[in-house]
Amino acid sequence: QVQLVQSGAEVKRPGSSVRVSCKASGGTFGSSSLSWVQQAPGQGLEWMGGIIPMFGSPSYAQSVQGRVTITADESTGTSYMDIHSLRSDDTAVYYCASGVPGTYYFASWGQGTLVTVSS
Amino acid sequence: QSALTQPASVSGSPDQSITISCTGASSDIGDYESVSWYQQHPGKAPKLLIFGVTFRASGVSDRFSGSKSGNTASLTISGLQADDEADYFCSSYTNSNDLEVLFGGGTKLTVL
């Protein structure tokens, strides 16, 4: 089973950008599906988008389309999520999660990265 | 698109059974065998319990079981234990143009 380790907490100003990384080990990174999930404080989970590294073309939830960029580097087994034009309501814990392409469930999760957007 | 609908909270006593419902639509739960369930303890990442409506993830106790009828999926936990106290989220594939994966709003399980 894939193990996922995410980058550390970030504090950002409104309008800036943030990059969160997710490094995979112990599995076949290239052929897995890698998704990013948002959890605002005290709230539920929201799927933001995903990528299959060997194919490279990400898909996004419409709510974040144009403001979020998901990439994957097969050589390092790392996925990145960039969020641009940060707003206060982007304050949340962001998880990367992996699964088998086409199955839409996530057997492995990163530990989560808290992004705080505050002026 | 709205999240799948779950009750905000359920409770039960040790050794009892509880069921958490998850209601969606024909564009998600109703038409696809892709319902999954996750358990999340405070401050921790979600943990996969059930996938493909009824299949238990590796290492998950057989006290956890999943089912589906029409547009509603259910998670049943039998023989409640103190450590089952957590938040539970359902999820499903959706054929909406907006996104691919839909989550429920979550249910807080309290073991009395």
PDB file of all heavy atoms in Angstrom, chain A residues 91-113:
ATOM      1  N   THR A  91      -8.774  28.579   3.997  1.00  0.00           N
ATOM      2  CA  THR A  91      -8.197  28.049   5.228  1.00  0.00           C
ATOM      3  C   THR A  91      -8.790  26.673   5.503  1.00  0.00           C
ATOM      4  O   THR A  91     -10.005  26.525   5.667  1.00  0.00           O
ATOM      5  CB  THR A  91      -8.476  28.988   6.417  1.00  0.00           C
ATOM      6  OG1 THR A  91      -7.781  30.217   6.203  1.00  0.00           O
ATOM      7  CG2 THR A  91      -8.013  28.359   7.733  1.00  0.00           C
ATOM      8  N   ALA A  92      -7.927  25.676   5.523  1.00  0.00           N
ATOM      9  CA  ALA A  92      -8.406  24.298   5.609  1.00  0.00           C
ATOM     10  C   ALA A  92      -7.217  23.361   5.762  1.00  0.00           C
ATOM     11  O   ALA A  92      -6.057  23.752   5.576  1.00  0.00           O
ATOM     12  CB  ALA A  92      -9.185  23.916   4.341  1.00  0.00           C
ATOM     13  N   VAL A  93      -7.523  22.119   6.080  1.00  0.00           N
ATOM     14  CA  VAL A  93      -6.545  21.042   5.969  1.00  0.00           C
ATOM     15  C   VAL A  93      -6.728  20.405   4.589  1.00  0.00           C
ATOM     16  O   VAL A  93      -7.861  20.115   4.177  1.00  0.00           O
ATOM     17  CB  VAL A  93      -6.737  19.973   7.064  1.00  0.00           C
ATOM     18  CG1 VAL A  93      -5.795  18.796   6.835  1.00  0.00           C
ATOM     19  CG2 VAL A  93      -6.494  20.589   8.441  1.00  0.00           C
ATOM     20  N   TYR A  94      -5.629  20.235   3.897  1.00  0.00           N
ATOM     21  CA  TYR A  94      -5.644  19.628   2.570  1.00  0.00           C
ATOM     22  C   TYR A  94      -4.974  18.262   2.638  1.00  0.00           C
ATOM     23  O   TYR A  94      -3.863  18.131   3.154  1.00  0.00           O
ATOM     24  CB  TYR A  94      -4.939  20.528   1.562  1.00  0.00           C
ATOM     25  CG  TYR A  94      -5.700  21.812   1.339  1.00  0.00           C
ATOM     26  CD1 TYR A  94      -5.482  22.922   2.158  1.00  0.00           C
ATOM     27  CD2 TYR A  94      -6.681  21.901   0.350  1.00  0.00           C
ATOM     28  CE1 TYR A  94      -6.213  24.091   1.992  1.00  0.00           C
ATOM     29  CE2 TYR A  94      -7.410  23.067   0.174  1.00  0.00           C
ATOM     30  CZ  TYR A  94      -7.177  24.150   0.997  1.00  0.00           C
ATOM     31  OH  TYR A  94      -7.903  25.302   0.831  1.00  0.00           O
ATOM     32  N   TYR A  95      -5.684  17.256   2.148  1.00  0.00           N
ATOM     33  CA  TYR A  95      -5.169  15.892   2.125  1.00  0.00           C
ATOM     34  C   TYR A  95      -4.905  15.448   0.693  1.00  0.00           C
ATOM     35  O   TYR A  95      -5.689  15.751  -0.210  1.00  0.00           O
ATOM     36  CB  TYR A  95      -6.198  14.914   2.715  1.00  0.00           C
ATOM     37  CG  TYR A  95      -6.483  15.062   4.187  1.00  0.00           C
ATOM     38  CD1 TYR A  95      -7.610  15.735   4.633  1.00  0.00           C
ATOM     39  CD2 TYR A  95      -5.628  14.507   5.138  1.00  0.00           C
ATOM     40  CE1 TYR A  95      -7.893  15.852   5.986  1.00  0.00           C
ATOM     41  CE2 TYR A  95      -5.904  14.613   6.505  1.00  0.00           C
ATOM     42  CZ  TYR A  95      -7.033  15.293   6.914  1.00  0.00           C
ATOM     43  OH  TYR A  95      -7.307  15.409   8.253  1.00  0.00           O
ATOM     44  N   CYS A  96      -3.814  14.727   0.486  1.00  0.00           N
ATOM     45  CA  CYS A  96      -3.686  13.956  -0.730  1.00  0.00           C
ATOM     46  C   CYS A  96      -4.121  12.530  -0.399  1.00  0.00           C
ATOM     47  O   CYS A  96      -3.988  12.074   0.739  1.00  0.00           O
ATOM     48  CB  CYS A  96      -2.275  13.991  -1.297  1.00  0.00           C
ATOM     49  SG  CYS A  96      -0.983  13.312  -0.231  1.00  0.00           S
ATOM     50  N   ALA A  97      -4.655  11.859  -1.400  1.00  0.00           N
ATOM     51  CA  ALA A  97      -5.177  10.520  -1.184  1.00  0.00           C
ATOM     52  C   ALA A  97      -4.999   9.731  -2.473  1.00  0.00           C
ATOM     53  O   ALA A  97      -5.178  10.277  -3.566  1.00  0.00           O
ATOM     54  CB  ALA A  97      -6.653  10.564  -0.790  1.00  0.00           C
ATOM     55  N   SER A  98      -4.662   8.472  -2.345  1.00  0.00           N
ATOM     56  CA  SER A  98      -4.418   7.690  -3.563  1.00  0.00           C
ATOM     57  C   SER A  98      -5.313   6.461  -3.624  1.00  0.00           C
ATOM     58  O   SER A  98      -5.799   5.949  -2.622  1.00  0.00           O
ATOM     59  CB  SER A  98      -2.953   7.260  -3.641  1.00  0.00           C
ATOM     60  OG  SER A  98      -2.707   6.163  -2.812  1.00  0.00           O
ATOM     61  N   GLY A  99      -5.513   6.018  -4.847  1.00  0.00           N
ATOM     62  CA  GLY A  99      -6.329   4.845  -5.085  1.00  0.00           C
ATOM     63  C   GLY A  99      -6.041   4.267  -6.444  1.00  0.00           C
ATOM     64  O   GLY A  99      -5.121   4.692  -7.136  1.00  0.00           O
ATOM     65  N   VAL A 100      -6.849   3.294  -6.806  1.00  0.00           N
ATOM     66  CA  VAL A 100      -6.722   2.650  -8.111  1.00  0.00           C
ATOM     67  C   VAL A 100      -7.517   3.454  -9.128  1.00  0.00           C
ATOM     68  O   VAL A 100      -8.686   3.781  -8.875  1.00  0.00           O
ATOM     69  CB  VAL A 100      -7.256   1.201  -8.047  1.00  0.00           C
ATOM     70  CG1 VAL A 100      -7.207   0.559  -9.428  1.00  0.00           C
ATOM     71  CG2 VAL A 100      -6.453   0.395  -7.028  1.00  0.00           C
ATOM     72  N   PRO A 101      -6.915   3.816 -10.254  1.00  0.00           N
ATOM     73  CA  PRO A 101      -7.648   4.594 -11.255  1.00  0.00           C
ATOM     74  C   PRO A 101      -8.970   3.943 -11.630  1.00  0.00           C
ATOM     75  O   PRO A 101      -9.050   2.726 -11.826  1.00  0.00           O
ATOM     76  CB  PRO A 101      -6.685   4.618 -12.449  1.00  0.00           C
ATOM     77  CG  PRO A 101      -5.342   4.490 -11.829  1.00  0.00           C
ATOM     78  CD  PRO A 101      -5.530   3.565 -10.659  1.00  0.00           C
ATOM     79  N   GLY A 102     -10.003   4.744 -11.708  1.00  0.00           N
ATOM     80  CA  GLY A 102     -11.312   4.262 -12.124  1.00  0.00           C
ATOM     81  C   GLY A 102     -12.164   3.706 -11.012  1.00  0.00           C
ATOM     82  O   GLY A 102     -13.301   3.297 -11.249  1.00  0.00           O
ATOM     83  N   THR A 103     -11.640   3.697  -9.769  1.00  0.00           N
ATOM     84  CA  THR A 103     -12.414   3.111  -8.672  1.00  0.00           C
ATOM     85  C   THR A 103     -13.020   4.171  -7.756  1.00  0.00           C
ATOM     86  O   THR A 103     -13.982   3.887  -7.072  1.00  0.00           O
ATOM     87  CB  THR A 103     -11.557   2.174  -7.822  1.00  0.00           C
ATOM     88  OG1 THR A 103     -10.465   2.909  -7.251  1.00  0.00           O
ATOM     89  CG2 THR A 103     -11.010   1.019  -8.653  1.00  0.00           C
ATOM     90  N   TYR A 104     -12.446   5.348  -7.681  1.00  0.00           N
ATOM     91  CA  TYR A 104     -13.011   6.485  -6.951  1.00  0.00           C
ATOM     92  C   TYR A 104     -13.117   6.268  -5.455  1.00  0.00           C
ATOM     93  O   TYR A 104     -13.997   6.848  -4.800  1.00  0.00           O
ATOM     94  CB  TYR A 104     -14.363   6.900  -7.552  1.00  0.00           C
ATOM     95  CG  TYR A 104     -14.235   7.175  -9.029  1.00  0.00           C
ATOM     96  CD1 TYR A 104     -14.638   6.228  -9.962  1.00  0.00           C
ATOM     97  CD2 TYR A 104     -13.664   8.358  -9.484  1.00  0.00           C
ATOM     98  CE1 TYR A 104     -14.481   6.464 -11.323  1.00  0.00           C
ATOM     99  CE2 TYR A 104     -13.500   8.601 -10.833  1.00  0.00           C
ATOM    100  CZ  TYR A 104     -13.906   7.646 -11.747  1.00  0.00           C
ATOM    101  OH  TYR A 104     -13.753   7.886 -13.078  1.00  0.00           O
ATOM    102  N   TYR A 105     -12.265   5.411  -4.882  1.00  0.00           N
ATOM    103  CA  TYR A 105     -12.128   5.361  -3.435  1.00  0.00           C
ATOM    104  C   TYR A 105     -10.636   5.458  -3.120  1.00  0.00           C
ATOM    105  O   TYR A 105      -9.798   5.177  -3.975  1.00  0.00           O
ATOM    106  CB  TYR A 105     -12.742   4.088  -2.834  1.00  0.00           C
ATOM    107  CG  TYR A 105     -12.067   2.802  -3.241  1.00  0.00           C
ATOM    108  CD1 TYR A 105     -10.957   2.318  -2.563  1.00  0.00           C
ATOM    109  CD2 TYR A 105     -12.569   2.058  -4.314  1.00  0.00           C
ATOM    110  CE1 TYR A 105     -10.347   1.131  -2.940  1.00  0.00           C
ATOM    111  CE2 TYR A 105     -11.963   0.869  -4.696  1.00  0.00           C
ATOM    112  CZ  TYR A 105     -10.847   0.411  -4.005  1.00  0.00           C
ATOM    113  OH  TYR A 105     -10.242  -0.744  -4.394  1.00  0.00           O
ATOM    114  N   PHE A 106     -10.333   5.862  -1.884  1.00  0.00           N
ATOM    115  CA  PHE A 106      -8.962   6.203  -1.536  1.00  0.00           C
ATOM    116  C   PHE A 106      -8.482   5.378  -0.354  1.00  0.00           C
ATOM    117  O   PHE A 106      -8.935   5.568   0.769  1.00  0.00           O
ATOM    118  CB  PHE A 106      -8.858   7.699  -1.224  1.00  0.00           C
ATOM    119  CG  PHE A 106      -9.469   8.554  -2.297  1.00  0.00           C
ATOM    120  CD1 PHE A 106     -10.596   9.309  -2.065  1.00  0.00           C
ATOM    121  CD2 PHE A 106      -8.924   8.575  -3.577  1.00  0.00           C
ATOM    122  CE1 PHE A 106     -11.165  10.084  -3.059  1.00  0.00           C
ATOM    123  CE2 PHE A 106      -9.487   9.346  -4.589  1.00  0.00           C
ATOM    124  CZ  PHE A 106     -10.622  10.103  -4.323  1.00  0.00           C
ATOM    125  N   ALA A 107      -7.569   4.444  -0.653  1.00  0.00           N
ATOM    126  CA  ALA A 107      -7.093   3.531   0.379  1.00  0.00           C
ATOM    127  C   ALA A 107      -5.968   4.136   1.209  1.00  0.00           C
ATOM    128  O   ALA A 107      -5.730   3.722   2.340  1.00  0.00           O
ATOM    129  CB  ALA A 107      -6.636   2.223  -0.255  1.00  0.00           C
ATOM    130  N   SER A 108      -5.262   5.099   0.647  1.00  0.00           N
ATOM    131  CA  SER A 108      -4.143   5.711   1.354  1.00  0.00           C
ATOM    132  C   SER A 108      -4.324   7.218   1.404  1.00  0.00           C
ATOM    133  O   SER A 108      -4.729   7.823   0.403  1.00  0.00           O
ATOM    134  CB  SER A 108      -2.814   5.398   0.654  1.00  0.00           C
ATOM    135  OG  SER A 108      -2.581   4.006   0.632  1.00  0.00           O
ATOM    136  N   TRP A 109      -4.019   7.792   2.557  1.00  0.00           N
ATOM    137  CA  TRP A 109      -4.154   9.240   2.756  1.00  0.00           C
ATOM    138  C   TRP A 109      -2.869   9.791   3.338  1.00  0.00           C
ATOM    139  O   TRP A 109      -2.206   9.127   4.157  1.00  0.00           O
ATOM    140  CB  TRP A 109      -5.305   9.540   3.709  1.00  0.00           C
ATOM    141  CG  TRP A 109      -6.659   9.218   3.177  1.00  0.00           C
ATOM    142  CD1 TRP A 109      -7.175   7.970   2.938  1.00  0.00           C
ATOM    143  CD2 TRP A 109      -7.675  10.144   2.796  1.00  0.00           C
ATOM    144  NE1 TRP A 109      -8.454   8.074   2.431  1.00  0.00           N
ATOM    145  CE2 TRP A 109      -8.788   9.403   2.339  1.00  0.00           C
ATOM    146  CE3 TRP A 109      -7.770  11.542   2.795  1.00  0.00           C
ATOM    147  CZ2 TRP A 109      -9.975  10.005   1.888  1.00  0.00           C
ATOM    148  CZ3 TRP A 109      -8.945  12.138   2.366  1.00  0.00           C
ATOM    149  CH2 TRP A 109     -10.034  11.383   1.906  1.00  0.00           C
ATOM    150  N   GLY A 110      -2.529  11.011   2.930  1.00  0.00           N
ATOM    151  CA  GLY A 110      -1.459  11.722   3.603  1.00  0.00           C
ATOM    152  C   GLY A 110      -1.927  12.194   4.968  1.00  0.00           C
ATOM    153  O   GLY A 110      -3.101  12.061   5.324  1.00  0.00           O
ATOM    154  N   GLN A 111      -1.001  12.771   5.727  1.00  0.00           N
ATOM    155  CA  GLN A 111      -1.327  13.198   7.094  1.00  0.00           C
ATOM    156  C   GLN A 111      -2.074  14.523   7.144  1.00  0.00           C
ATOM    157  O   GLN A 111      -2.569  14.922   8.193  1.00  0.00           O
ATOM    158  CB  GLN A 111      -0.033  13.286   7.950  1.00  0.00           C
ATOM    159  CG  GLN A 111       0.754  14.566   7.796  1.00  0.00           C
ATOM    160  CD  GLN A 111       1.714  14.563   6.617  1.00  0.00           C
ATOM    161  OE1 GLN A 111       1.557  13.784   5.672  1.00  0.00           O
ATOM    162  NE2 GLN A 111       2.711  15.441   6.670  1.00  0.00           N
ATOM    163  N   GLY A 112      -2.163  15.195   6.000  1.00  0.00           N
ATOM    164  CA  GLY A 112      -2.859  16.473   5.951  1.00  0.00           C
ATOM    165  C   GLY A 112      -1.902  17.644   6.116  1.00  0.00           C
ATOM    166  O   GLY A 112      -0.896  17.557   6.823  1.00  0.00           O
ATOM    167  N   THR A 113      -2.217  18.734   5.435  1.00  0.00           N
ATOM    168  CA  THR A 113      -1.446  19.977   5.528  1.00  0.00           C
ATOM    169  C   THR A 113      -2.412  21.116   5.826  1.00  0.00           C
ATOM    170  O   THR A 113      -3.348  21.354   5.060  1.00  0.00           O
ATOM    171  CB  THR A 113      -0.706  20.262   4.215  1.00  0.00           C
ATOM    172  OG1 THR A 113       0.239  19.219   3.969  1.00  0.00           O
ATOM    173  CG2 THR A 113       0.009  21.604   4.284  1.00  0.00           C
TER     174      THR A 113
END
